[in-house]
Amino acid sequence: IGAFFVDLFNEPVLPSSNSAGNADAGISALLDRGQRRLLARERRSPEIDAALLQTLAQVNWQMERNAMARSLFEEAAAVKRGIGDNDSLALTLASIARLDALSGATEASAVLAREAEELLVPNGRYEGRTRYLALTELAAYYVITFSFAATDRTLDEAIRVGTARYGAKSPELFRAKRLQLTSLQYRLLVDDSLV
C-alpha cells in the first residue's frame, strides 16, 4: 500500500493549461492518476486492493470530490464483499452512508447504515482497529441523521471495543469521545428548535 502511494507521489504532475498553478488542480490530477492506476492494475491481493481503494476514496472525500469518493468506496465494497471481512466492509458501507446522507440521499444512506450495523453485531470474534473505526464511522452517520438512540448504542460499543483494544486513556478513543460531544451539541440544537 505504501509503495503504491510513494510511486504515485514520486511522479510529477504536469499542470494543465487552465489550472494556472492551482494546488487543488494538481492534487486532483494526482488523485485521478491514482484512480486510473488502481482500477487498471492487475488484481493480486483483494485485501491490499480494498485498502488502497478505501484510502483513495477517503482522500477524494477530504478533497470534496464526493462523486469520485463514492465510486471508489463502491469499488472497495465490491472487493470487500469477496473477502468476507465484515468489519472492513461495514467501515466502507458506513462511509458511503454518511456521504449519501450529507448529499441528501437519505433513503439510500439508511439502507447502507442498516447493512453496516448488521455486519457489526458482536459475535465474539477478534475486535480490532477496523471494527473500532467502523463503529465510529457508523456513529458519525447516526449523529448527522439525528438518530440519537442509535448514536448512543453504537458509541457505547465503539468505546467498549476501543478501550479493550487501546486502553481507557488512549488517544485513540478521541474520535468516539468527540462524536459523543457532537451528538450532545446536535441534541441541544434540536431541543432548542422545539422550544
Side-chain angles (χ1 to χ4, degrees):
I1 295 169
F4 175 85
F5 284 102
V6 166
D7 182 46
L8 184 64
F9 284 99
N10 274 336
E11 289 183 32
V13 176
L14 301 176
S16 64
S17 58
N18 60 359
S19 69
N22 182 344
D24 285 347
I27 293 170
S28 292
L30 183 72
L31 293 173
D32 289 342
R33 183 172 65 202
Q35 181 188 16
R36 283 191 307 274
R37 278 192 187 165
L38 186 55
L39 296 178
R41 75 183 229 146
E42 180 184 334
R43 300 282 188 214
R44 292 183 212 138
S45 166
E47 291 83 3
I48 292 173
D49 291 338
L52 286 169
L53 287 161
Q54 180 83 21
T55 302
L56 201 53
Q58 289 170 329
V59 172
N60 273 280
W61 191 2
Q62 290 169 346
M63 292 296 299
E64 298 179 4
R65 295 166 39 109
N66 295 353
M68 184 72 70
R70 193 180 197 294
S71 173
L72 289 163
F73 278 134
E74 286 177 348
E75 186 76 21
V79 173
K80 290 177 180 188
R81 286 184 193 283
I83 297 170
D85 181 350
N86 287 354
D87 293 344
S88 185
L89 177 57
L91 172 60
T92 302
L93 295 175
S95 296
I96 299 171
R98 190 160 64 103
L99 184 58
D100 282 356
L102 290 169
S103 67
T106 54
E107 288 181 31
S109 70
V111 170
L112 291 165
R114 275 193 300 277
E115 184 180 355
E117 186 168 359
E118 288 169 9
L119 290 168
L120 291 169
V121 170
N123 65 4
R125 67 181 177 266
Y126 172 74
E127 297 180 332
R129 177 179 182 272
T130 304
R131 182 173 180 77
Y132 173 73
L133 293 175
L135 286 162
T136 57
E137 186 68 17
L138 185 58
Y141 162 80
Y142 287 136
V143 167
I144 64 170
T145 59
F146 304 108
S147 305
F148 299 124
T151 299
D152 292 343
R153 181 181 65 246
T154 307
L155 283 176
D156 287 347
E157 178 67 4
I159 289 170
R160 185 193 67 72
V161 169
T163 300
R165 171 88 169 116
Y166 302 110
K169 298 194 186 259
S170 171
E172 296 290 340
L173 292 179
F174 175 75
R175 178 170 164 81
K177 302 283 186 174
R178 185 178 44 120
L179 283 167
Q180 282 182 321
L181 290 174
T182 303
S183 176
L184 181 59
Q185 289 174 319
Y186 278 33
R187 285 176 216 226
L188 292 172
L189 288 172
V190 169
D191 289 347
D192 285 348
S193 70
L194 297 176
V195 175

